[in-house]
Amino acid sequence: MRLKIIVSGIVQGVGFRPFVYRIAVRNNLRGYVRNRGDSCVEIVVDGEEKDIKSFLRDLVEKKPPLARIHEVVAAPVESSGEYYGDFKIFKSSGEAEVSGSIIPPDIAICDECLMEMRNPSDLRYDYFFITCVNCGPRYTIIEDIPYDRENTTMRDFQMCSFCRSEYVNPANRRFHAQTIACPRCGPKAYLTDADGLRVDYRDPIREAGKLVSEGYIVAVKGYGGFHLAASTLLDEPLKRLRAAKHRRQKPFAIMARSLEAAKSFAKVSPWEERALTSYARPIVLLEKGERYYLSELVSPGLHNVGVMLPYTGLHYMLFDQVSDPAFVMTSANPPNQPIIKDEEEAFRRLRGLVDYFLLHDRRIAHRCDDSVLRMHGDRTVFIRRSRGYAPEPVRLKLKAKRCALGLGGEENNTVCLIVGDKAFLSQHIGDVENLETLEFLESASMRLMRLTNSRVDVVSCDLHPKFATTMLAKRLSEEHGWRMFQIQHHYAHTAALMAEHGLSEIIAVCCDGYGYGEDGGAWGGEIVFGSLNPPVFKRLGCLEEQPLLGGDLATKYPLRMAAGILYGHVDVEGWLLENSVHLPYGLREAHLMLSQFRRGEIKIKTTSCGRVLDAASAVLGVCYERTYEGEPAMKLESAALHGEDILKIEPQISGRVLNTTEIMISLFEGKDKFSRRDLAYSIHVYLARGLAELAMELAVENNVKNIGFTGGVACNQIITEEMRRIIEQRGLNFFTHDSVPPGDGGLSLGQAVVASIIEF
Ligand code: ZN
Ligand code: ZN
Ligand code: FE
């Protein structure tokens, strides 16, 4: 009997062919296995029927740890005369007929490789880029498919005889490992000074670790781009880093030398431990421990700190000769630009900022930032879904009618390609404000299409007429003859949540900073009815509209937002003048604001939940200036930690609008009576209860059993958990995101989902 089998999913770059070879030989089968140009694997087996049956069972049950099988299609083939004497791994074919398979994300170094790296008698002792079929870079080195060495940036390195002997040996765990390398034939690391001049050290990696520990700033080239490494214990290098990166307050991610080290300065729950040590090795936001002893400059004003564990041999070696518990490892990107990936670019952009460069000579095919997540108890909340996850698809419970590409919004962007029941989200692209990021976005889109062998029918984007992504969608649709589809920001958030959970109807609470409304207004605290078959979205309720004094200035300086909400309800004049030091133009600006209020000339209003939290942050003196996205609201959550609801204000809802003025007045009047912590906690509870009440009311009215929470505010643990408690207590279902970010990193998914199923 002879069978041809096509396996789709993540089956290239995961040791699948060696695995197939082994189970075929074990089951006495002849034939071949090969990679194809559509990221699938093709197998022909020839032998006894019972052996083939057992082979097919093994194929699914014993698959390699990193493989994901989406589908196995087997069909008998006529023997056209060729005879297979044994089982072989054939050279890859370019054949491509299936869409929707893909190569895996980059995988952290595995335990076996780490052990070999530490073993003085191993040939790869101390080799910083040791890998095998189960670990190493994939997505960041691939230039084309099928996943063969010559289609990756490893093709620049000729395998030595030792590596080759392992590569061709079926019994070896590096049999057909495309990233195979050793100190003799593989990429090499070296150190340069600030001017890019090579400094000859016998052990450049450990030397770099010592330099970081001593207070120098070192740019470190990794898998998906450059990090800036600095001490977490000394203030001086962090001050320099902040000045140079124009990051006054934004927290730096750190890499802890080990899990134990992380536990010495942060609290680590069992779920957080699992996330930290997973092969994706994301940055996990951990609550600072009681005896937190790292520099305050690492994550100023926040209750948590972003920690990851080493994920390459190089990272482990950095810590070998120092006792530091952790290093700052922040991605090296100029403001609003993608992460740096090439040496030349690094020298040009980082000169004058860093003291040394730790480099290696393997090219990075595609940049990829670290992922960031936090845990709400046992639930994963993605802040950024990137390295270690992209391009692995999110499996949807709906099937697309056509192939759709979503280009996202403007901040924290990703792109998303939907093929069948799979959503391929790109790595983190960033804020699409300038040419470089926009080019990155376009190339990431094209690459996803290429890697999945798919043809786009429709491109979708935001409703905002001036977003760069909207213009790009127009251009792509003209150039490629794709249809174009626009969808409102919060409707896209809602669709993403529904698609992730396979819901056909929902009442979604969408809270974030800003989204262009259907009426052109500044939305950001909306209750949305969503249905997917057919796609229908309606805004049913929202937060009270509040004045946005000075437009973007009100976002940057939350004092403006606070004064705008309070003016006319309480006497804010004295308070505003007193706090005018926190405004860029001081007293003059405060007086101007007051006269604008008096004349009642604030036309722009917003329903944004983010802005309400910002305002509360200013009223309570927690944060007066937003130097990075979400800062005032994040610091407010930190201030509220372990607080209690001291105000106990009943949510005031009228005409499907939740009042936000009363709570702000109470905060203002209570600020000298109650603790900042309890007041900060009270407004979290007020919003959670108010939004939950309003959503439940609308759910009952519309006979919907599912309530969801999406948008960037859904990263907030206090609001999310309070809302869940109330809604589940009432016997309704409550949904949040667990595979994609609730923030704008998940927007592209919602856009693509609706575009993929809507009737044109
Ligand atoms: Zn390994
Ligand atoms: Zn070698
Ligand atoms: Fe949003």
Side-chain angles (χ1 to χ4, degrees), residues 110 113 131-132 134-135 173:
C110 73
C113 285
T131 60
C132 67
N134 290 326
C135 75
R173 67 185 195 89

Side-chain angles (χ1 to χ4, degrees), residues 479-530:
E479 272 176 23
H480 300 277
W482 302 337
R483 280 174 193 278
M484 177 168 155
F485 176 75
Q486 285 177 278
I487 178 168
Q488 198 276 331
H489 189 98
H490 302 97
Y491 297 171
H493 274 310
T494 303
L497 186 58
M498 297 174 79
E500 207 183 298
H501 296 286
L503 306 174
S504 51
E505 277 191 338
I506 198 170
I507 296 289
V509 178
C510 305
C511 289
D512 54 14
Y514 168 78
Y516 183 85
E518 271 183 323
D519 55 5
W523 292 10
E526 318 306 314
I527 317 281
V528 172
F529 165 81

